């Protein structure tokens, strides 16, 4: 019988209540399910992973609930490598690839089955089904995922029984499963890196999901512009809540903590407190993305004049960033070095900063020394997909040291940030932060700007706001 919690209002469960709870339940097994549309794509991804590690067992956990405070947990979000290889998002699961003699693998998805009505486990405690919702049966999951499914509660024993098989596990996702196997950290790191590298080039289904994420994000940005006056009357939190509503309406969640940075907060790269005032005459930097139901996310930034019109200095900064983004986007094409778009954008910003007298030239010297970074802060983009900073564990030679290929999706997001206490720039420049970010799909002959539905130039932004701003 499940153990009661401290300070609960009930001291226990009577035998009569326990017996009552175990009876009278209908059979709810679903026989109308069909394979998920992602299932064949996930199967191809598993085959690619299998080919990388013949003769080895691979364990890819989904992860567990994480405590937010006391007995409250954060909303669960599965490890992206597990989602990519299965299409599943359930907690406390693991994909296991068992090696075969022919060098291939048999794939098993270990899942937490439905709670049995033969004991009190299905209704006692916060993680019970009557508290958290119905799970799929193993048979149902086999249909949906196109995978053989097993009870995850037997996984530790199954791993122990095959202790002689060379095994790799993704670390940092499920501590209990890590404790059940003996592995080598370097080899485990290689598995994690491979899972990242297999996400570098998106398949057609993934590109469709990225389009959905970006399209919803465009609508979310338009929502925020339409409610700008209410943000002025309240705070940045109104912008955050407005975008979140769109993300929950059309997707799973936001893909990352929304940055709703008004005034001098726009100079803070990852401002997520979103509790400051929204004042006419200043800028609002909105960096946000909708995460689809399949967990693919967009990542878009626009910098908006809260009053609807840029001041002369704001426009000067904005136009410099826009020109830098144009230069960076022009460098995005198959066969180009990954770093090319970053270098093109940064060189342009370095030239502007030298021209304005904020860093010492000549431009080539300033760029080689990285002097522009006082005001540009970060790199100019990153891969995008299941994670906002997707493929992060890929080998450097395959990512930033590699070349672009058709099917890759990345951001181009130059920015200029003049801190409010920076005495090296004129006072009217201090507290201005501008970033423009778009999501680009590398195509066979160049690129497609997936987020082109949002205006980018200063004139187009002003016209857009004149049309939609509330």
């Amino acid at each position: 019988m499940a153990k009661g919690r401290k300070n609960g209002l009930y001291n226990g469960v009577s035998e009569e209540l326990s017996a009552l709870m175990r009876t009278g339940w209908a059979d709810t097994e679903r026989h109308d399910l069909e394979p998920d549309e992602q299932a064949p794509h996930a199967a191809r991804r598993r085959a690619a992973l299998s080919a990388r590690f013949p003769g080895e067992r691979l364990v890819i956990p989904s992860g567990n609930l994480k405590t937010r405070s006391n007995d409250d947990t954060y909303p669960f979000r599965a490890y992206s490598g597990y989602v990519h290889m299965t299409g599943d998002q359930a907690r406390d699961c693991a994909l296991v690839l068992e090696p075969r003699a022919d060098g291939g693998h048999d794939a098993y998805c270990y899942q937490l089955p439905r709670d049995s009505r033969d004991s009190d486990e299905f209704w006692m405690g916060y993680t019970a089904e009557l508290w958290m919702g119905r799970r799929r049966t193993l048979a149902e999951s086999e249909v949906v995922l196109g995978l053989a499914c097993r009870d995850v509660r037997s996984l530790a024993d199954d791993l122990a029984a095959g202790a002689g098989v060379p095994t790799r596990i993704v670390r940092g996702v499920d501590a209990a499963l890590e404790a059940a196997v003996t592995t080598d950290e370097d080899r485990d790191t290689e598995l994690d890196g491979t899972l990242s590298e297999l996400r570098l080039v998106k398949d057609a289904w993934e590109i469709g999901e990225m389009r959905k994420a970006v399209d919803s994000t465009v609508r979310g940005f338009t929502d925020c512009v339409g409610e700008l006056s209410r943000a002025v009357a309240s705070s940045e939190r109104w912008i955050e809540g407005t975008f979140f509503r769109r993300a929950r309406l059309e997707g799973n969640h936001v893909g990352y903590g929304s940055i709703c940075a008004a005034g001098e907060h726009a100079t803070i790269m990852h401002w997520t407190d979103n509790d400051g005032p929204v004042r006419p005459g200043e800028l609002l930097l909105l960096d946000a993305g909708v995460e689809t139901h399949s967990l693919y996310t967009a990542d878009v930034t626009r910098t908006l004049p809260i009053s609807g019109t840029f001041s002369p200095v704001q426009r000067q900064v904005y136009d410099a960033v826009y020109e830098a983004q144009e230069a960076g986007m022009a460098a995005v094409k198959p066969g180009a070095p990954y770093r090319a778009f970053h270098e093109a954008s940064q060189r342009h910003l370095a030239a502007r900063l030298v021209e304005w007298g904020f860093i010492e030239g000549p431009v080539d010297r300033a760029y080689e020394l990285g002097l522009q970074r006082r005001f540009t802060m970060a790199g100019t983009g990153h891969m995008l997909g299941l994670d906002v900073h997707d493929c992060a564990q890929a080998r450097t030679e395959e990512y930033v040291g590699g070349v672009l290929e058709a099917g890759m999706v990345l951001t181009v997001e130059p920015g200029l940030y003049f801190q409010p206490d920076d005495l090296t720039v004129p006072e009217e420049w201090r507290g201005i932060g501008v970033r423009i970010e778009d999501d680009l799909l590398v195509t066979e002959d160049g690129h497609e700007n997936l987020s082109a539905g949002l205006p980018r130039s200063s004139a187009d932004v002003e016209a857009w706001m004149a049309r939609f701003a509330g």
Side-chain angles (χ1 to χ4, degrees):
M1 184 174 294
K3 181 181 178 181
R5 64 173 179 170
K6 186 177 182 180
N7 293 316
L9 293 176
Y10 293 106
N11 294 325
V13 177
S14 67
E15 292 183 4
E16 290 79 6
L17 174 58
S18 178
L20 175 65
M21 290 299 297
R22 298 185 200 188
T23 59
W25 300 101
D27 179 5
T28 59
E29 182 81 19
R30 295 192 59 185
H31 302 284
D32 58 343
L33 296 173
E34 296 181 356
D36 185 86
E37 63 180 4
Q38 189 177 181
H41 301 282
R44 287 194 292 272
R45 299 166 198 159
R46 292 193 299 274
L49 179 65
S50 170
R52 300 282 189 100
F53 300 102
E56 300 183 68
R57 173 194 287 132
L58 309 178
V59 183
I60 306 167
S62 71
N64 319 118
L65 291 171
K66 292 181 172 58
T67 299
R68 179 181 182 272
S69 176
N70 190 28
D71 52 7
D72 182 38
T73 60
Y74 287 103
F76 178 71
R77 206 290 193 175
Y79 166 61
S80 294
Y82 172 84
V83 175
H84 191 238
M85 288 291 147
T86 64
D88 185 50
Q89 300 177 29
R91 64 180 174 89
D92 301 318
C93 300
L95 171 68
V96 178
L97 298 187
E98 288 285 357
R100 298 194 305 259
D102 64 2
H105 289 83
D106 293 320
Y108 301 98
C109 192
Y110 283 79
Q111 298 204 327
L112 195 61
R114 297 199 64 195
D115 289 333
S116 170
R117 268 45 177 180
D118 294 332
S119 73
D120 293 325
E121 64 180 359
F122 77 98
W123 70 282
M124 291 290 291
Y126 280 163
T127 60
E129 276 196 329
L130 285 195
W131 288 73
M132 298 193 73
R134 183 188 188 276
R135 296 190 293 270
R136 287 196 300 251
T137 67
L138 296 182
E140 290 169 351
S141 286
E142 287 189 341
V143 172
V144 172
L145 303 180
L147 264 171
C149 293
R150 295 176 172 178
D151 190 334
V152 73
R153 292 170 297 187
S154 69
L155 179 52
D157 290 339
D158 290 353
L159 294 175
V165 180
T167 299
R168 299 178 191 244
I169 189 171
V170 178
R171 298 193 180 203
V173 180
D174 189 318
L177 287 183
E178 282 183 48
V181 294
T182 300
T183 60
D184 176 83
E185 183 174 358
D186 289 340
R187 295 170 66 252
D188 292 344
T189 298
E190 185 181 5
L191 171 60
D192 197 11
T194 299
L195 289 167
S196 274
E197 290 170 19
L198 290 174
R199 301 207 304 272
L200 283 168
V201 176
K202 272 59 180 177
D203 59 38
W205 184 87
E206 292 179 286
I207 292 170
E209 293 302 293
M210 296 299 299
R211 292 187 188 280
K212 292 178 187 177
V214 172
D215 290 347
S216 290
T217 298
V218 168
R219 288 187 283 273
F221 271 68
T222 305
D223 294 340
C224 291
V225 170
E227 299 202 10
L228 196 54
S229 63
R230 304 188 73 170
V232 170
S234 53
S235 74
E236 296 163 343
R237 293 187 181 191
W238 194 272
I239 299 295
E240 179 182 9
T242 299
F243 188 84
F244 181 73
R245 181 179 65 233
R246 178 65 64 174
R248 288 293 285 159
L249 177 68
E250 296 190 2
N252 175 62
H253 211 278
V254 290
Y256 53 95
S258 299
I259 298 169
C260 309
E264 65 183 39
H265 290 161
T267 67
I268 301 172
M269 290 295 299
H270 291 158
W271 174 259
T272 55
D273 288 354
N274 300 334
D275 59 359
V278 179
R279 293 182 286 248
E282 297 183 335
L283 298 176
L284 169 68
L285 189 156
L286 177 58
D287 183 337
V290 171
E291 178 184 77
T292 64
H293 293 292
S294 61
L295 306 188
Y296 287 80
T297 186
D299 180 10
V300 177
T301 305
R302 288 296 183 268
T303 305
L304 313 173
I306 296 167
S307 62
T309 304
F310 292 100
S311 72
V313 173
Q314 290 169 350
R315 188 183 305 276
Q316 189 173 357
V317 177
Y318 188 95
D319 288 348
V321 174
Y322 172 76
E323 292 161 3
Q325 192 195 33
E326 285 279 280
M329 291 169 65
V332 175
K333 53 190 174 184
Y338 175 84
R339 293 180 184 271
F341 74 91
H342 164 74
E343 293 173 351
S345 292
Q346 291 289 308
R347 282 187 181 276
H348 182 85
L349 294 177
R352 285 286 178 262
L353 291 164
V354 169
E355 174 188 325
W356 296 335
F358 297 164
I359 59 176
E360 183 180 349
V363 174
D364 286 345
R365 171 187 176 275
Y367 178 76
E368 292 304 322
L369 295 175
L371 301 184
Q372 81 283 354
R373 292 178 62 185
R374 178 182 177 99
F375 305 104
T376 64
M377 299 283 288
T380 315
H382 51 81
M383 292 295 181
L384 186 65
L386 279 168
D387 292 333
V388 65
H389 294 152
D390 206 28
C391 315
Q393 304 307 316
R395 289 170 294 175
T396 299
E397 59 268 28
E398 296 294 323
Y399 191 160
V400 298
V403 297
L404 296 178
E405 297 181 42
M408 290 181 170
V409 180
L410 65 151
T411 69
V412 179
E413 51 174 314
L416 283 172
Y417 313 93
F418 299 100
Q419 302 302 322
D421 56 348
D422 190 344
L423 301 180
T424 69
V425 300
E427 185 175 359
E428 63 268 26
W429 293 67
R430 299 173 197 165
I432 292 178
V434 173
R435 179 163 66 252
I436 311 172
E437 178 180 19
D438 285 271
D439 302 343
L440 272 61
L441 166 67
V442 182
T443 61
E444 295 292 343
D445 56 359
H447 68 263
E448 177 188 351
N449 182 0
L450 299 178
S451 46
L454 288 175
R456 291 191 300 119
S457 72
S458 56
D460 288 347
V461 167
E462 288 176 337
W464 177 54
M465 295 186 68
R467 180 181 177 190
F468 288 105

